């Protein structure tokens, strides 16, 4: 397996200083599962290439793994010696660790210098193919050239292998480019060869701290890098802590929450449960208040009994993401007429949300200050006054089941409160008597015997036309 890094910024031989490897010599380092060699196929003032070749010893590798009961040849005969896998990333860390840390005693001024770089990965295993390679590297400013590698040159009919030959071109300080490779190669390979522990979070944060939080695919990257939900959640939470832009930090927090709930796929169960309740109420014209990125709207458009959907959210950023998710600009005219998005807040009287059959308020009320809930109730039940209102909110009693959550932490840092079942029911009862609604309660997600379900849902039916 190998990776070649070429600088074409004169004096290109500075690469030797930056990588701490002299262009005239071959350096070899033992990396546990084999040997890593660095050499320079080309070294001139205009163009200088450093190649890292890792010679994996499959036998050493197979001995490192846990002994499996199955006696197969797989541990000895596999793609690991040949492809740019996570092992290449480990080798990069060992061989170019000093460069990645931004240390260059001989020429410190070079460390942050932007260089024109070409990075060649002749055999890259890429789960998700070219699309994922582009989604990972293009936002970081690289031009990506990919070509498929045939399974066997002799038998073109067999088609392409799962490997790509990839060239990345971009302008970046060398340390940054090394970090990109270090973090993204295992993400593309998506098959880690060693146990993932706490220190992996630390590595990811150290190598990705500056650029990862702003990367549009931060979720895939952390999820695949860390593999297990609990680690990904913690990494996302830590990343958001360090972020100054609150919108972006909120987005990363949203992901942390999604990762937390992922094992249950609670989000999906919630969307199904609410959609079922909308259909049971007869569908018709539906307004989704606090629609976020439009996941529920997408789900509703699949229901024939739903004639029209209006999504409202206070966040422009969320609405923009909803527009993309729903591909509003590509929708057929007929479908396009069924859906609209508007910006608005549930804490202001708004005529645009009147005249609907059903309103859904999914995981929104807990984002509103308790003191403002009365206003929200008046706007929703008093003024908009649809026949049916469906509200969901976390059941705080269930939080003890989320092992990764501190004893009094909310599931999302923007939650102003999280209610027990009786708190929610009291709130609903008070609304019922004030605005003339009858509430029924349904659990969402797997109920704990003592704690009840992770999400609670109230379905309000308007008993009579509200008088105010
Ligand atoms: N209903 C969506 C999003 C839940 S996240 C889902 O289940 O996926 C909460 C959303 O409520 C966020 O998008 C946030 O912008 C929005 N929100 C918070 N306060 C609001 C308010 N006062 N009025 C309207 N939307 C609000």
């Amino acid at each position: 397996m190998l990776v070649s890094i070429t600088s074409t910024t004169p004096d290109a031989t500075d690469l030797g200083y930056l990588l701490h490897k002299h262009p005239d010599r071959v350096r070899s380092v033992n990396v546990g599962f084999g040997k890593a060699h660095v050499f320079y196929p080309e070294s001139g003032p205009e163009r200088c290439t450093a190649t890292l070749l890792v010679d994996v010893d499959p036998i050493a590798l197979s001995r490192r793994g846990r002994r499996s009961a199955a006696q197969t040849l797989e541990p000895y005969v596999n793609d690991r010696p040949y492809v740019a896998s996570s092992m290449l990333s480990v080798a990069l860390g060992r061989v170019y660790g000093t460069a990645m840390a931004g240390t260059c005693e001989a020429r410190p001024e070079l460390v942050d210098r932007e260089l024109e770089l070409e990075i060649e990965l002749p055999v890259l295993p890429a789960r998700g193919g070219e699309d994922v390679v582009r989604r990972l590297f293009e936002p970081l400013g690289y031009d990506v050239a990919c070509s498929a590698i045939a399974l066997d040159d002799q038998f073109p009919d067999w088609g392409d292998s799962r490997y790509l030959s990839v060239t990345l071109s971009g302008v970046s300080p060398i340390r940054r480019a090394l970090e990109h490779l270090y973090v993204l190669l295992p993400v593309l390979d998506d098959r880690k060869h060693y146990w993932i522990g706490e220190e992996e979070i630390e590595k990811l944060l150290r190598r990705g701290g500056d650029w990862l939080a702003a990367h549009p695919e931060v979720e895939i990257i952390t999820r695949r890098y860390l593999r297990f939900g609990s680690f990904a959640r913690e990494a996302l939470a830590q990343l958001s802590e360090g972020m100054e832009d609150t919108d972006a930090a909120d987005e990363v927090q949203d992901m942390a929450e999604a990762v937390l709930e992922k094992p249950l796929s609670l989000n999906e169960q919630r969307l199904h449960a609410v959609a079922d309740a909308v259909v049971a109420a007869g569908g018709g014209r539906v307004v989704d208040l606090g629609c976020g990125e439009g996941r529920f709207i997408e789900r509703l458009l699949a229901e024939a009994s739903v004639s029209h959907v209006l999504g409202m959210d206070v966040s422009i950023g969320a609405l923009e993401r909803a527009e993309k998710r729903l591909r509003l600009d590509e929708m057929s005219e007929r479908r396009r007429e069924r859906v609209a998005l508007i910006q608005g807040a549930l804490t202001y009287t708004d005529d645009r949300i009147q005249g609907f059959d059903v309103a859904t308020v999914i995981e929104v009320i807990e984002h509103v200050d308790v003191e403002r809930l009365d206003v929200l109730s008046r706007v929703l039940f008093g003024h908009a006054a649809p026949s049916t209102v469906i509200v969901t909110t976390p059941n705080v009693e269930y939080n003890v089941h989320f092992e990764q959550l501190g004893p009094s932490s909310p599931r999302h840092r923007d939650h102003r409160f999280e209610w027990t079942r009786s708190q929610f029911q009291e709130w609903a009862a008070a609304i019922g008597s004030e605005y003339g609604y009858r509430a029924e309660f349904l659990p969402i997600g797997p109920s704990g015997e003592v704690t009840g379900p992770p999400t609670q849902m109230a379905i309000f039916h308007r008993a009579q036309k509200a008088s105010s």
Side-chain angles (χ1 to χ4, degrees):
M1 62 168 107
L2 53 99
V3 54
S4 292
I5 302 177
T6 300
S7 165
T8 54
T9 300
D11 179 348
T13 53
D14 285 345
L15 196 61
Y17 288 101
L18 281 164
L19 296 177
H20 298 259
K21 306 286 175 276
H22 197 284
D24 294 342
R25 274 183 244 140
V26 175
R27 272 284 299 279
S28 300
V29 179
N30 202 329
V31 287
F33 45 81
K35 269 198 152 158
H37 312 279
V38 180
F39 55 93
Y40 289 73
E42 188 174 3
S43 163
E46 306 294 326
R47 204 178 153 85
C48 178
T49 302
T51 295
L52 167 66
L53 179 141
V54 184
D55 196 8
V56 173
D57 174 356
I59 307 225
L61 189 63
S62 72
R63 295 213 177 104
R64 283 165 61 89
R66 247 174 280 158
R67 215 171 286 271
S68 86
Q71 297 292 319
T72 69
L73 277 175
E74 211 277 340
Y76 302 96
V77 185
N78 57 44
D79 69 355
R80 300 293 91 185
Y82 312 106
V83 306
S85 65
S86 59
M87 274 185 277
L88 184 55
S89 160
V90 173
L92 278 169
R94 297 265 169 89
V95 176
Y96 297 143
T98 322
M100 219 185 293
T103 308
C104 184
E105 273 161 21
R107 303 277 304 278
E109 78 282 2
L110 293 178
V111 166
D112 290 314
R113 183 140 168 237
E114 306 256 344
L115 302 178
E116 289 201 37
L117 297 175
E118 240 174 67
I119 299 168
E120 272 178 81
L121 296 153
V123 188
L124 181 71
R127 201 182 124 206
E130 177 168 348
D131 177 51
V132 172
V133 179
R134 290 189 182 281
R135 275 161 56 201
L136 294 183
F137 285 101
E138 284 176 350
L140 298 169
Y142 293 97
D143 280 335
V144 177
C146 284
S147 53
I149 298 176
L151 205 51
D152 191 320
D153 288 345
Q154 306 284 309
F155 302 95
D157 290 354
W158 290 1
D160 292 333
S161 66
R162 67 182 190 94
Y163 306 103
L164 296 170
S165 167
V166 173
T167 305
L168 309 167
S169 330
V171 178
S172 161
I174 194 81
R175 61 194 276 213
R176 191 46 49 86
L178 291 171
E179 284 177 350
H180 294 158
L181 295 174
Y182 181 83
V183 171
L184 297 180
L185 292 179
V187 168
L188 281 166
D189 187 28
D190 200 20
R191 188 179 131 170
K192 287 214 73 160
H193 63 281
Y194 54 88
W195 178 247
I196 295 168
E198 297 274 349
E199 72 275 17
E200 292 296 304
I201 298 181
E202 205 262 320
K203 274 189 211 161
L204 180 68
L205 292 172
R206 185 149 44 92
R207 299 302 181 204
D210 288 346
W211 50 272
L212 183 55
H215 196 296
E217 303 294 353
V218 57
E219 186 180 358
I220 296 190
I221 296 170
T222 34
R223 216 190 261 287
R224 283 200 189 176
Y225 190 91
L226 300 168
R227 272 300 177 75
F228 300 112
S230 60
F231 288 120
R233 173 187 149 71
E234 192 167 328
L236 287 163
Q238 285 188 31
L239 273 174
S240 77
E241 300 276 288
M243 291 167 73
E244 281 169 20
D245 173 352
T246 47
D247 263 6
D250 276 351
E251 233 180 275
V252 174
Q253 270 282 320
D254 284 346
M255 290 173 199
E257 187 186 19
V259 169
L260 176 71
E261 294 179 342
K262 174 79 180 175
L264 306 168
S265 188
L266 181 54
N267 189 35
E268 302 212 329
Q269 291 185 50
R270 191 156 50 218
L271 297 185
H272 287 304
V274 182
D276 287 349
V278 170
V279 171
R285 290 168 54 78
V286 182
V287 59
D288 185 29
L289 299 163
C291 63
E293 297 179 11
R295 290 208 172 90
F296 187 60
I297 299 177
E298 192 175 34
R299 174 74 183 71
L300 272 183
L301 289 174
E303 295 298 339
S305 66
V306 171
S307 60
H308 188 80
V309 186
L310 176 67
M312 182 174 98
D313 203 285
V314 75
S315 153
I316 298 262
L319 290 169
E320 281 170 359
R321 290 195 292 279
E323 201 172 321
K324 272 203 204 129
R325 164 183 297 276
L326 297 168
R327 302 212 175 102
L328 286 191
D329 52 343
E330 292 168 27
M331 257 185 199
S332 69
E333 214 165 291
R334 256 187 67 205
R335 208 170 153 84
R336 184 70 190 80
E337 279 168 11
R338 280 177 74 204
V339 51
L341 298 174
I342 55 172
Q343 195 212 1
L346 263 168
T347 38
Y348 293 93
T349 305
D350 193 333
D351 293 344
R352 296 174 300 174
I353 59 172
Q354 283 189 313
F356 283 84
D357 299 302
V358 182
T360 50
V361 192
I362 307 171
E363 305 295 285
V364 176
I365 60 169
E366 64 277 7
H367 291 268
V368 175
D369 289 329
V370 176
E371 313 84 74
R372 310 214 69 196
L373 280 182
D374 284 350
V375 182
L376 179 145
S377 307
R378 178 150 34 81
V379 169
L380 178 56
F381 296 93
H383 188 77
S387 312
T388 306
V389 179
I390 303 167
V391 179
T392 76
T393 195
N395 165 25
V396 71
E397 294 164 81
Y398 189 87
N399 284 7
V400 294
H401 295 293
F402 292 123
E403 283 168 16
Q404 315 126 37
L405 206 60
S408 56
S409 344
R411 294 184 203 179
H412 186 295
R413 112 178 138 183
D414 187 48
H415 286 177
R416 309 303 158 90
F417 60 86
E418 281 174 353
W419 276 338
T420 61
R421 282 165 293 174
S422 61
Q423 285 173 311
F424 185 46
Q425 287 167 18
E426 259 168 54
W427 176 74
I431 285 174
S433 57
E434 184 155 3
Y435 298 104
Y437 280 82
R438 172 176 56 79
E440 62 176 310
F441 300 92
L442 287 174
I444 299 178
S447 281
E449 206 174 307
V450 179
T451 60
T455 300
Q456 38 187 348
M457 170 163 70
I459 306 173
F460 296 86
H461 305 276
R462 198 176 64 210
Q464 65 211 42
K465 180 85 190 132
S467 53
S468 56

